[in-house]
């Protein structure tokens, strides 16, 4: 099984993505693709289409297009659940110490990373982020 973990623009520009990749490797996650790239608005709207009706959607698209992201394809058994546990809750304020969002997230929007929430969304999101790669 494969999933996507994506480091968000502010956590790429402040250099913390190196530590996040290091944490993944130290915890023996199997990274099988890695790419730094920007999102167009169109790609960001497609990527987050499920949130289109939410009031935070325009701000989310601005945020995710504000600079390059670092996308990682990670493979393993039960990998969607494993990675979601590893990153912590959406809101860093509720996250467990030791999780990526606890350590690097600064607000519910600027929560350091995104991870796919199901095998289906993993497939869709990996196709968007790694298209042409
Ligand atoms: P992510 O896991 O990438 O999925 C949707 C993103 O929307 C979320 O992380 C946050 O970056 C952003 N967001 C902003 N406000 C909210 C909110 N109130 N609830 C959930 N997600 C939010």
């Amino acid at each position: 099984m494969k999933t996507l973990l994506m480091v968000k623009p502010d956590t790429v520009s402040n250099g913390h993505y190196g530590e996040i990749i290091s944490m993944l490797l130290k915890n023996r996650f199997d990274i099988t693709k890695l790419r730094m790239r920007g999102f167009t608005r169109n790609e960001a709207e497609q990527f987050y289409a499920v949130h289109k009706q939410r009031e935070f959607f325009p701000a989310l698209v601005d945020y995710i297009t504000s600079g390059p992201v670092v996308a990682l394809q990670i493979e393993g058994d039960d990998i969607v659940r494993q990675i979601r546990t590893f990153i912590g809750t959406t809101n860093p304020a509720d996250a467990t110490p030791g999780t990526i969002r606890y350590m690097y997230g600064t607000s519910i929007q600027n929560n350091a990373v995104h991870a796919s929430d199901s095998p289906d969304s993993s497939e869709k999101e990996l196709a968007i982020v790694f298209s042409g790669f």
Side-chain angles (χ1 to χ4, degrees), residues 77-120:
D77 292 341
D78 198 22
I79 196 66
V80 171
R81 195 184 60 81
Q82 295 248 0
I83 288 293
R84 289 183 71 78
T85 302
F86 187 69
I87 70 172
T89 53
T90 301
N91 190 347
D94 301 327
T96 301
T99 60
I100 292 177
R101 283 170 166 164
Y102 180 88
M103 293 173 71
Y104 301 107
T106 55
S107 70
I108 192 161
Q109 176 183 268
N110 295 36
N111 58 359
V113 292
H114 168 85
S116 310
D117 65 3
S118 68
D120 250 23

Side-chain angles (χ1 to χ4, degrees), residues 4 34 51 55 60 68 93 100 106 127:
L4 170 72
L34 190 159
H51 297 298
E55 82 290 345
L60 175 59
I100 292 177
T106 55

Side-chain angles (χ1 to χ4, degrees), residues 60-81:
L60 175 59
V61 172
D62 286 346
Y63 170 48
I64 223 69
T65 56
S66 65
V69 300
V70 170
L72 302 140
Q73 176 180 282
I74 304 171
E75 296 194 36
D77 292 341
D78 198 22
I79 196 66
V80 171
R81 195 184 60 81

Side-chain angles (χ1 to χ4, degrees), residues 10-59:
D10 52 337
T11 310
V12 173
S13 63
N14 68 19
H16 287 150
Y17 68 100
E19 289 164 32
I20 292 171
I21 293 171
S22 179
M23 281 171 69
L24 289 162
L25 294 171
K26 284 180 186 166
N27 283 280
R28 297 192 285 280
F29 284 108
D30 185 17
I31 299 170
T32 52
K33 280 188 187 174
L34 190 159
R35 180 182 196 186
M36 186 184 287
R37 57 161 296 178
F39 267 108
T40 64
R41 287 194 80 79
N42 196 37
E43 286 169 326
E45 285 169 5
Q46 203 189 327
F47 187 89
Y48 278 124
V50 61
H51 297 298
K52 201 146 66 186
Q53 304 308 324
R54 306 290 295 271
E55 82 290 345
F56 61 77
F57 185 72

